[in-house]
Amino acid sequence: MKNSKRKYIIVLCIILSILYMIFAFHPLNTEIHFVPVWAIDSSRTSFSKDEEIPEELYENAIPFKLGQTLGYFTDNGKILMSKTFPYKASITDSQYVMYGTDSAQMPFFNPKGEELGKINGYGFPYFSGDRKFLFLPGGSSFSKLGDDGSIQWTYEGYAPITAFSSSEKRSVVGLAEGNIISFTEDGEIDQEFKPVGSAYKVILGAAVSNNGEYVAAVSGQDEQRFILAEKVNGYMEVVFHKYLGSDSNRQLLVKFSRDENYIYFNYEGGIGIVNTKTHRFSQIPIKGHILSIKESEQNGIVFILSKNEKTYTVSAVELFDIFRGSFSFEADSAFIAVKDDSLFVGRDSRICKMTVTNK
């Protein structure tokens, strides 16, 4: 009797041990590794003045802006063009413009330095992809520009513009009075709404998805909140909102992921992430102000550049909201860019390439 009971206990222990190993087993977490590849001086071009630069290098050029210097470089560490500018500039993959405080005519160029057109009028140019805009003096109006810099249409408002975003389908502005206005490609206002729920109505950050179906914003003071609006039956409806628990009094970055499944936004104390399909919400603490969010083209990692006083931090986030690591450095200016599985970090006058691997 005792032997059979002992056998029963042994068998039970073996079964429980097997079950424990099955259900408790999980693979060891991989770690993200940043492996330096090269570092270059962004203030010096890699080619002589008379040297012919292959066309394909320009087609895949990566733009940069560090302090008062802008230009383009290649994946293998060649500076194609580097120029200093006295006041401000805007640059994208395909074009750039430099301007002063009282510029009445502003030529813009492609990465080769060839003039593409001129912007005639006073204001502040803003380039986004192949799209060009001119924010007019006074801060409450802007114009959409054509390929040659000519004005296609103009919105004239009375409330200061505090947020702006442009995609292939639409443009949106956020106003100091709390309104969000959506424009079609032809400049027609197709939607206007005001998020409520805060004591003071102001839009501090806004974004529109590439397909034009989503608009997201951080709004208000005294119970600041994030809102996600979706086009339903032709009209924008708020489908998700979240009070943030703390207020920021400066402009905040809001950005959709490439596949539009996620929206990232800056709040006082970190970054918020929302799944646009399930409305799942997550927060990751990050010190300082978020300057840039870049999404890797291959491994699904999102890189976040933030600044706290003179310290810049690059943070890596994977699979929606898994914080994978970060590194920090002190600089007067910085930027990040991504291409394939590589991360490019600019620090003052230096640009460094890193490959990103999971091990």
Side-chain angles (χ1 to χ4, degrees), residues 290-306:
I290 293 176
L291 304 176
S292 181
I293 300 173
K294 299 293 184 180
E295 186 178 359
S296 173
E297 298 174 5
Q298 290 188 351
N299 53 25
I301 298 175
V302 174
F303 300 99
I304 302 161
L305 177 66
S306 58

Side-chain angles (χ1 to χ4, degrees), residues 44-54 57 74 78-80:
R44 300 179 181 179
T45 58
S46 303
F47 301 90
S48 64
K49 186 176 180 180
D50 298 326
E51 190 174 355
E52 186 175 349
I53 301 176
L57 295 184
T74 67
K78 302 293 184 182
I79 299 291
L80 299 175

